[in-house]
Amino acid sequence: MMTTTPAPAATAIRAACHAAGLHADDMVPVRRHATSVYLLQREGVIVRASPAARYDSITTSIALTRWLAEQGFPTVEPLNMPQPTLHHADLVVTFWRHYPQEDRTPPPAACLGKLLRALHALPGPPIALPAFRPLTSLAQTVPASTYLTSVDKQFLMERISELTRAYDALDSPLGVGLIHGDAYPGNTLWDDTEPIGVRLGDWDEAAIGPREVDLANTFQGARFGRSPSHMRAFTDAYGHDPRRWHGLSVLIRIRDLHTLGSFIRRADAGDPDAGQELAHRLATLKSDNAEAQWHVF
């Protein structure tokens, strides 16, 4: 189990709640990864604290999710209040509706397939979105790391360069359009009030790019035990199977690297569990072991 959410995030969230007139005395941590997530139990509100460097992308995600809700797409919805807010100069705080999950197992991959089919069928949003560029954040994180060895850094930067070139050479049978950018079953939530019954969250990486990007993440989930039957249900629900497309392996390898970013930052901050998982993932990547299992956090 990872260590608890750091005090700066909790402090920023309390300050943001006070400014918004929300009670934070009963808040509990929900998740700590790239973003710290808390639940205000009495308010029924989810609060997210992200690095200030993501202010622009988070501002865009607020506008995008409001537009998606207007289109009838089952997205998680931000509260109707001015946001995001910047606190302690280094954390961006946002407020979202809470969708209780109780003790239910996460939605299956087929639900994500239905959501992505609906998302990719929408018209272009009236919101300026960046062009999808893989691994740009990781390319900044790696050289600045105090945890990675020089050998690790060289390996990762060479792999980033190699995969970026491979990505630039890809075609896209599904075409270019609005993509979620971080679509995998872990970003879906049950909501029985919706016809589909599931909502899609975490839109901070939304972009304009090849639609296959949103499909590759589910296939990369084989590293976390996702079975062939789950993959088949996902592609059946989406209506397209990219496994015969030569570019899928490139996108899966890009996703492998993408997952390292938060573990590097947390290892830099002294999180031993993050460092252990990072070492495991790096070892499997260096040995080109595409079948090795990774731990879910």
Side-chain angles (χ1 to χ4, degrees), residues 58-71 75 78 119 125-127 129 178-180 203-207:
I58 291 171
T59 299
T60 298
S61 74
I62 293 288
L64 178 62
T65 50
R66 286 174 173 159
W67 176 80
L68 287 168
E70 291 172 357
Q71 308 308 303
T75 176
L119 177 70
I127 297 157
L129 293 174
L178 168 63
I179 60 172
H180 180 277
W203 293 87
D204 296 350
E205 297 182 39

Side-chain angles (χ1 to χ4, degrees), residues 230-249:
H230 289 160
M231 310 291 195
R232 191 160 50 250
F234 171 76
T235 56
D236 287 348
Y238 182 80
H240 175 78
D241 190 336
R243 281 175 286 191
R244 293 183 179 178
W245 176 56
H246 67 93
L248 181 62
S249 62

